């Protein structure tokens, strides 16, 4: 059941999730095929080259190019020594430090910053440093590579207003985020929302990514020039260790093609600014065609919440990957992976090329020397297929199986030692605090510079946005440990909750199920017990959805099982609900109030009989706090009582 993602079921058209599911199964079975006709047919012969572009190969080759005089690469050695990039890549770990880090628990420290709020600094390596954000940012102190110092202000100007415009080139949020990024620590920021600050965050991580690539490439090109002009003996080789085992340095994971399009557009404007000299962008037209969208494709009459419109904007295909090579004043899109500096891909796009155990055609060497991993909109992957993210993390920074033509005399020692993961910076952005996202950050982010996580607790919960008059009964179930929660919830539901609703009086009962696996289990149980029910999930065809909604509204079916993913991708209003059961608390807190408010859709004077029941356990603390607020959640988890009642919308 590994491909239960319904990844591609996000179009509002006729395409069904079944076909998307089949497509994915085929693509996973076949290995890294060229999708969308990317690259000439001969690329399939050589799976190591995702795209071929022989015409531009020499133009963008790092080995054969030299530093231009005006690109600022030959800055003074003193300035270079203070540059966070130089300090990070030239830092040498010792064997005993690495061994100690593998077995020790991290040391942690908390701080409060003006905009980000509560921060937790942690590190497994001895030296633990925290720092405060300065009031003003001096652009020189940030060590931005040319031309970014001048182009950033123009590119970012849409977010700056009033007096701040003249004085700081960053918004207060961007300033604090960039200071952490520029210190090369790992960062987890769980308050990035498409509606509020998504673009602000995207701008600042694109600045950091392009700054990193320009500095890394300038170092290689400067060393090429030095090697050419200097007749040196064999012993001098170590001066020129300036690269990894493969060329891709930055991997940006985004959920949809629209996000990839915006990232590339930002890179172009950051390199170009308002200078008269346009930069060369190869394959731009093809990129616009494959990643852009036709605004007329969207049906005009669909009313959806603002946050839905903000997430599902533009081209929402979620199977793609593209290599980008950057050299001074030119960008090459669709570069072969092993000639790229930056890879932009979706988890599914990476999954089909990484492949699985035992597959003949698989490749993950291009992940071996990634120095900067950016995972944006992480919460959406929970709705697509989280397995793909875990699969990616398990293949990051492994030693490559092939040399890919690397000059070993230029490879950094820490890369040869297989310590790349201790030098990889990971930036993780999402819209919510979630146990699965936390787990990836805690387990897979082992950067020697340390980690910073934003950990603000919600004081008020989403229950305050419920507008209908409704009693909410929260029932706590006990579970021995985390692994037994799923079974405990199922047995609690069929033994304690369901019997109360079997009476025909309790008709029009919607059961909201976040996990697809729980949904399948409940559906099978309802069929076996011959209960009068219908169901809707992300794979249900359009006609099936219409039928189920109709039967439920008319009361012909007593129960409706609904998956969270269906709600996420479609956001339909279900009419006719009188009784509501949350089998588990929703992943997104605002879904709680959204579903509760659906009761208003068909009120015919039966408001007095409406009910809402919520199941929770001590392992749902994060989700519970997001719905009822942190103080109430603490009381509900510690209280000797197992049942708690809230009433909303009281007159």
């Amino acid at each position: 059941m590994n491909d239960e993602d319904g990844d591609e079921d996000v179009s509002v058209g006729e395409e069904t999730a079944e076909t998307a599911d089949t497509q994915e199964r085929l693509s996973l079975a076949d290995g890294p095929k060229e999708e969308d006709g990317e690259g000439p047919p001969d690329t399939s012969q050589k799976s190591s080259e995702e795209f071929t572009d022989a015409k531009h190969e020499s133009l963008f080759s790092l080995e054969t190019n030299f530093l231009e005089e005006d690109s600022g690469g030959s800055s003074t050695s003193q300035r270079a020594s203070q540059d966070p990039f130089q300090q990070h890549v030239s830092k040498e770990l010792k064997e005993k430090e690495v061994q100690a880090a593998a077995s020790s628990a991290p040391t942690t420290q908390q701080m409060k910053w003006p905009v980000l709020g509560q921060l937790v600094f942690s590190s497994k390596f001895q030296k633990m440093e925290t720092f405060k954000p300065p009031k003003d940012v001096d652009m020189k102190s940030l060590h931005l590579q040319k031309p970014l110092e001048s182009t950033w202000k123009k590119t970012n100007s849409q977010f700056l207003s009033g007096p701040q415009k003249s004085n700081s080139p960053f918004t207060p949020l961007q300033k604090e985020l960039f200071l952490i990024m520029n210190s090369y620590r790992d960062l987890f920021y769980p308050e990035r929302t498409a509606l509020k600050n998504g673009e602000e965050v995207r701008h600042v991580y694109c600045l950091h990514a392009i700054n990193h690539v320009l500095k890394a490439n300038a170092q290689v090109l400067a060393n090429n020039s030095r090697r050419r002009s200097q007749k040196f003996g064999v012993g001098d080789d170590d001066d020129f260790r300036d690269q990894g085992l493969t060329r891709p340095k930055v991997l940006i994971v985004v959920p949809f093609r629209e996000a990839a399009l915006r990232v590339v557009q930002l890179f172009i404007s950051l390199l170009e600014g308002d200078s008269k000299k346009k930069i060369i962008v190869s394959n731009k037209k093809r990129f616009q065609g494959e990643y852009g969208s036709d605004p007329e494709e969207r049906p005009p009459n669909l009313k959806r919440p603002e946050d839905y419109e903000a997430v599902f904007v533009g081209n929402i295909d979620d199977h793609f990957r593209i290599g980008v090579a950057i050299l001074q004043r030119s960008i090459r899109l669709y570069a072969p992976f092993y000639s790229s500096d930056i890879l932009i891909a979706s988890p599914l796009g990476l999954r089909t090329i990484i492949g699985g155990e035992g597959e003949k055609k698989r490749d993950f060497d291009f992940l071996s020397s990634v120095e900067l991993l950016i995972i944006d909109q992480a919460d959406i992957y929970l709705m697509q297929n989280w397995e793909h993210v875990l699969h990616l993390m398990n293949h990051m920074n492994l030693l490559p199986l092939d040399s890919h033509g690397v000059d070993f005399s230029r490879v950094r020692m820490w890369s040869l030692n297989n310590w790349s993961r201790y030098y990889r910076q990971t930036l993780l952005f999402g819209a919510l605090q979630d146990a699965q996202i936390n787990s990836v950050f805690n387990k897979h982010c082992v950067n020697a510079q340390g980690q910073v996580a934003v950990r603000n607790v919600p004081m008020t919960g989403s229950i305050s946005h419920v507008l209908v008059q409704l009693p909410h009964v929260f029932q706590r179930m006990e579970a021995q440990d985390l692994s037994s929660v799923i079974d405990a919830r199922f047995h609690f539901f069929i033994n304690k909750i369901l019997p109360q609703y079997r009476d025909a009086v309790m008709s029009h009962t919607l059961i909201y199920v976040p996990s697809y696996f729980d949904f399948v289990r409940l559906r099978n149980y309802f069929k076996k017990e011959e209960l009068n029910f219908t169901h809707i999930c992300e794979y249900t065809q359009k006609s099936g959805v219409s039928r189920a909604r109709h039967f439920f509204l008319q009361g012909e079916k007593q129960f409706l099982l609904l998956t969270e993913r269906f709600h996420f991708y479609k956001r339909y209003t279900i009419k006719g609900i009188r009784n509501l059961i949350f089998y588990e608390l929703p992943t997104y807190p605002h879904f709680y109030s959204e579903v509760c408010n659906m009761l208003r859709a068909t009120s015919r004077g039966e408001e007095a009989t409406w009910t809402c029941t919520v199941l929770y356990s001590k392992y749902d603390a994060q989700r519970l706090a997001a719905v009822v607020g942190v103080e109430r959640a603490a009381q509900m988890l510690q209280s000797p009582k197992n049942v708690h009642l809230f009433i909303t919308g009281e007159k």
Side-chain angles (χ1 to χ4, degrees):
M1 293 178 68
N2 204 16
D3 8 16
E4 45 82 21
D5 17 335
D7 282 6
E8 318 220 354
D9 181 28
V10 290
S11 59
V12 191
E14 288 291 337
E15 193 207 344
T16 66
E18 277 84 0
T19 55
D21 192 32
T22 320
Q23 278 170 8
E24 185 189 341
R25 227 166 309 161
L26 288 171
S27 59
L28 288 185
D30 293 350
K33 276 226 176 94
E34 291 296 322
E35 79 271 8
D36 302 331
E38 286 172 341
D42 65 328
T43 45
S44 57
Q45 312 296 307
K46 214 173 163 197
S47 67
S48 65
E49 290 199 14
E50 175 67 355
F51 312 102
T52 47
D53 186 4
K55 192 171 93 176
H56 296 95
E57 196 59 54
S58 61
L59 180 69
F60 285 92
S61 164
L62 276 181
E63 293 78 28
T64 56
N65 274 278
F66 303 95
L67 197 65
E68 288 175 6
E69 289 308 307
D70 67 339
S71 63
S74 53
S75 53
T76 61
S77 56
Q78 187 215 349
R79 184 172 151 82
S81 66
Q82 294 167 347
D83 184 342
F85 166 79
Q86 291 294 351
Q87 289 175 350
H88 178 58
V89 296
S90 57
K91 178 178 180 173
E92 290 191 21
L93 291 175
K94 297 182 176 62
E95 183 83 48
K96 61 173 190 241
E97 284 182 285
V98 172
Q99 286 169 350
S103 55
S104 64
T107 52
T108 61
Q109 201 177 332
Q110 292 204 10
M111 270 191 88
K112 198 166 169 66
W113 278 26
V115 181
L116 291 177
Q118 207 63 42
L119 298 187
V120 178
F121 286 80
S122 60
S123 176
K124 281 195 164 197
F125 290 80
Q126 274 66 33
K127 206 173 168 200
M128 169 79 177
E129 287 178 12
T130 59
F131 59 99
K132 287 190 174 135
K135 287 198 167 60
D136 298 313
V137 175
D138 169 27
M139 286 298 273
K140 289 273 179 287
S141 69
L142 297 177
H143 296 271
L144 293 178
Q145 190 76 358
K146 283 185 179 176
L148 300 178
E149 217 167 286
S150 55
T151 59
W152 168 247
K153 289 179 184 175
K154 180 173 185 287
T155 305
N156 199 44
S157 59
Q158 58 179 310
F159 302 112
L160 307 171
S161 57
Q164 178 193 15
K165 200 162 195 165
S166 54
N167 112 22
S168 170
F170 293 92
T171 66
L173 171 67
Q174 286 176 331
K175 180 179 80 172
E176 294 189 9
L177 287 174
F178 191 74
L179 286 169
I180 295 169
M181 291 179 195
N182 209 28
S183 70
Y184 279 90
R185 289 168 171 80
D186 294 333
L187 169 67
F188 174 34
Y189 178 65
E191 293 171 23
R192 174 244 187 268
T193 60
L195 204 54
K196 201 172 77 189
N197 56 12
E199 286 309 306
E200 243 182 289
V201 170
R202 195 190 325 266
H203 273 64
V204 79
Y205 75 62
C206 283
L207 171 69
H208 180 56
I210 204 107
N211 191 35
H212 180 83
V213 168
L214 289 176
K215 284 179 182 175
N217 286 358
Q219 190 180 24
V220 174
L221 300 180
N223 282 345
N224 288 351
S225 304
R226 282 173 59 207
R227 284 181 72 158
R228 184 173 62 171
S229 60
Q230 178 185 19
K231 292 189 169 64
F232 54 86
V234 182
D236 299 331
D237 263 12
D238 264 10
D239 290 350
F240 299 107
R241 295 199 175 275
D242 53 17
Q243 52 200 269
L245 288 158
T246 51
R247 180 166 166 184
K249 305 172 218 1
V250 177
L251 171 61
I252 301 178
V253 182
V254 286
F256 304 122
R257 283 184 185 244
E258 169 69 20
L261 177 77
R262 292 186 185 190
V263 166
V264 170
Q265 286 169 340
L266 272 173
F267 287 160
I268 294 170
S269 66
L270 281 169
L271 286 178
E272 210 165 58
D274 51 359
S275 64
K276 307 282 183 290
K277 229 165 120 190
K278 289 278 182 211
I279 62 166
I280 302 157
V281 182
S282 55
N283 300 320
K284 190 175 183 180
K285 196 172 176 190
R286 174 184 165 194
F287 177 71
Q288 297 281 14
E290 289 179 10
Y291 285 75
S293 61
D294 182 355
E296 290 175 15
E297 282 175 11
R298 260 191 118 64
N301 57 349
L302 282 168
K303 288 272 186 290
R304 293 283 181 272
E306 281 181 309
D307 67 293
Y308 179 92
E309 297 291 354
V311 169
F312 295 109
V313 66
N315 187 335
I316 48 176
D317 175 42
D318 64 351
H319 188 184
F320 61 89
R321 50 186 175 260
I322 184 169
V324 181
I326 291 174
L327 214 57
Q328 294 173 33
R329 297 205 54 77
S330 42
I331 292 184
R332 173 194 186 193
L333 304 172
Y334 298 99
F337 268 23
Y338 290 97
S339 304
S340 301
D341 296 300
I342 301 173
L343 307 176
I344 307 170
S346 64
L348 177 61
L350 289 166
R351 176 70 176 82
T352 51
I353 198 172
I354 293 170
E357 279 302 322
E359 282 178 30
K360 279 187 191 152
K361 267 177 129 185
R362 56 186 309 217
D363 186 7
F364 45 86
D365 285 0
F366 57 86
L367 299 171
S368 64
S369 297
V370 168
E371 295 160 7
L372 173 56
L373 168 64
I374 299 170
I375 300 179
D376 196 10
Q377 293 176 275
D379 50 288
I380 293 181
Y381 313 133
L382 295 169
M383 298 292 139
Q384 290 180 347
N385 191 336
W386 190 248
E387 285 295 319
H388 296 339
V389 176
L390 298 178
H391 195 70
L392 166 67
M393 297 311 288
N394 288 330
H395 288 84
M396 288 300 299
N397 299 112
L398 302 177
L399 280 174
L401 304 173
D402 187 10
S403 68
H404 300 283
V406 69
D407 175 356
F408 285 100
S409 70
R410 300 283 295 270
V411 178
R412 294 190 185 102
M413 288 313 294
W414 50 258
S415 203
L416 293 172
N417 286 341
N418 195 20
W419 289 349
S420 294
R421 65 181 179 280
Y422 300 115
Y423 287 83
R424 184 191 79 232
Q425 181 185 23
T426 307
L427 306 176
L428 194 52
F429 302 102
L432 42 96
Q433 295 269 11
D434 181 87
Q436 293 179 85
I437 303 175
N438 279 340
S439 162
V440 160
F441 188 71
N442 295 336
K443 184 179 167 191
H444 293 281
C445 299
V446 288
N447 181 351
Q449 300 284 8
Q451 288 70 38
V452 183
V454 177
R455 297 263 184 249
N456 294 316
V457 291
M459 297 318 287
T460 58
S462 61
I463 197 167
S464 60
H465 299 292
V466 177
L467 305 172
V468 294
Q469 196 168 359
L470 185 64
H472 304 255
V473 179
F474 284 78
Q475 302 224 13
R476 189 174 74 217
M477 41 160 232
E478 303 304 330
Q480 295 306 308
D481 51 44
L482 192 54
S483 57
S484 64
V485 169
I486 294 169
D487 286 338
R489 182 179 280 112
F490 178 72
H491 293 300
F492 184 84
F493 176 78
I494 60 173
N495 297 326
K496 298 265 173 39
I497 306 294
L498 200 56
Q500 304 167 25
Y501 287 86
R502 283 194 160 191
D503 194 325
V505 178
M506 302 298 274
S507 63
H508 297 275
T509 299
L510 175 84
I511 304 172
Y512 179 94
V513 192
S515 157
Y516 183 77
F517 300 107
D518 288 336
F519 165 78
V520 171
R521 191 175 186 180
L522 286 175
R523 186 184 65 191
N524 293 346
Y525 176 80
F526 276 46
K527 277 181 180 168
K528 193 179 95 204
E529 293 289 305
E530 296 180 351
L531 291 169
N532 179 22
F533 83 106
T534 183
H535 54 85
I536 300 175
C537 73
E538 57 272 28
Y539 303 125
T540 311
Q541 293 193 16
K542 209 168 182 184
S543 55
V545 172
S546 302
R547 269 199 309 276
R549 290 173 76 190
H550 173 75
F551 288 148
F552 182 68
L553 176 61
Q554 299 303 324
E556 291 174 41
K557 298 288 182 188
Q558 185 179 348
F559 295 99
L560 170 61
L561 290 178
L562 184 82
T563 65
E564 181 168 74
R565 280 188 188 166
F566 175 81
H567 182 65
F568 175 78
Y569 282 117
K570 298 295 188 193
R571 219 61 78 83
Y572 288 179
T573 299
I574 306 294
K575 294 179 179 174
I577 308 170
R578 291 181 198 165
N579 304 296
L580 190 52
I581 301 175
F582 284 93
Y583 186 78
E584 187 184 354
L585 285 155
T587 308
Y588 287 92
H590 66 278
F591 283 4
Y592 184 85
S593 49
E594 254 177 43
V595 174
C596 288
N597 288 332
M598 285 182 192
L599 276 81
R600 290 190 301 178
T602 46
S603 57
R604 299 195 186 111
E606 69 277 333
E607 287 92 335
T609 61
W610 284 348
T611 68
C612 174
T613 303
V614 186
L615 276 63
Y616 74 97
S617 75
K618 62 182 177 186
Y619 298 105
D620 297 322
Q622 260 176 342
R623 291 186 181 187
L624 186 64
V627 169
V628 300
V630 70
E631 287 177 12
R632 282 172 170 177
Q635 289 167 4
M636 290 164 69
L637 292 167
Q638 288 156 9
S639 163
K641 289 190 210 149
N642 286 341
V643 181
H644 298 267
L645 173 69
F646 297 94
I647 295 177
T648 53
E650 288 179 280
K651 298 222 168 25

